Amino acid sequence: MKLGRLNHVGVATPSIERSIAFYRDVMGAEVIREPFDLPAQGVKVCFVDTSNSQIELIEPLGEASPIHGFLAKNPAGGQHHLCYEVPDINEAKAWFEAKGAKVLGEPRIGAHGTPIFFVHPRDMGGVLTEIMESPEAPH
Ligand code: CO
């Protein structure tokens, strides 16, 4: 597998609206994208651009959202996952499985419109890790 760029840092928040105000007013972020719902993942998402990457704000969407459990433990929100790009999502899945790392579910379309999967933090040094096919990947 070829490890690509760090695409984004996922940050869970109880309120995207309040987090947008924080990144704009305290962090000085100038480019904050329009929030959107991602029902398949049970999250509302908002990307904040930095000069070299993005922060992905995620807020629970619906009762079954996987973010509820995280916010129960971290009521103010906090760092949730890191996302790395790879050129080929299926090759990456086979790679991690061959290393004995637990891939959580099948690849599915993520917030950037390309296939993603998550790898269990237990096998990733404690970091919930999202693997994402690069938007520039040739198909
Ligand atoms: Co993400």
Side-chain angles (χ1 to χ4, degrees):
M1 182 188 75
K2 187 176 184 302
L3 182 64
R5 64 190 285 273
L6 177 67
N7 182 275
H8 63 262
V9 177
V11 174
T13 172
S15 167
I16 278 181
E17 194 184 335
R18 287 203 303 275
S19 290
I20 286 174
F22 169 78
Y23 278 92
R24 184 188 58 223
D25 301 338
V26 178
M27 297 301 291
E30 294 178 338
V31 180
I32 299 176
R33 312 280 174 169
E34 196 61 35
F36 60 97
D37 293 351
L38 201 58
Q41 316 244 12
V43 290
K44 182 176 177 182
V45 177
C46 176
F47 284 105
V48 177
D49 288 13
T50 72
S51 66
N52 67 337
S53 191
Q54 287 184 310
I55 304 300
E56 179 189 45
L57 299 171
I58 45 179
E59 179 188 301
L61 178 71
E63 293 300 310
S65 174
I67 308 304
H68 287 304
F70 183 89
L71 289 176
K73 287 182 226 150
N74 309 275
Q79 188 187 317
H80 184 262
H81 65 271
L82 297 183
C83 177
Y84 298 94
E85 294 183 18
V86 297
D88 184 317
I89 198 78
N90 293 315
E91 182 196 46
K93 180 170 183 276
W95 167 277
F96 281 109
E97 286 173 342
K99 304 285 180 196
K102 178 151 183 63
V103 171
L104 302 168
E106 290 300 310
R108 52 204 176 274
I109 297 301
H112 285 89
T114 69
I116 64 103
F117 61 79
F118 284 88
V119 189
H120 199 291
R122 174 186 70 211
D123 302 322
M124 303 298 285
V127 179
L128 177 62
T129 302
E130 179 180 3
I131 300 296
M132 163 187 165
E133 194 163 270
S134 298
E136 306 85 41
H139 290 283

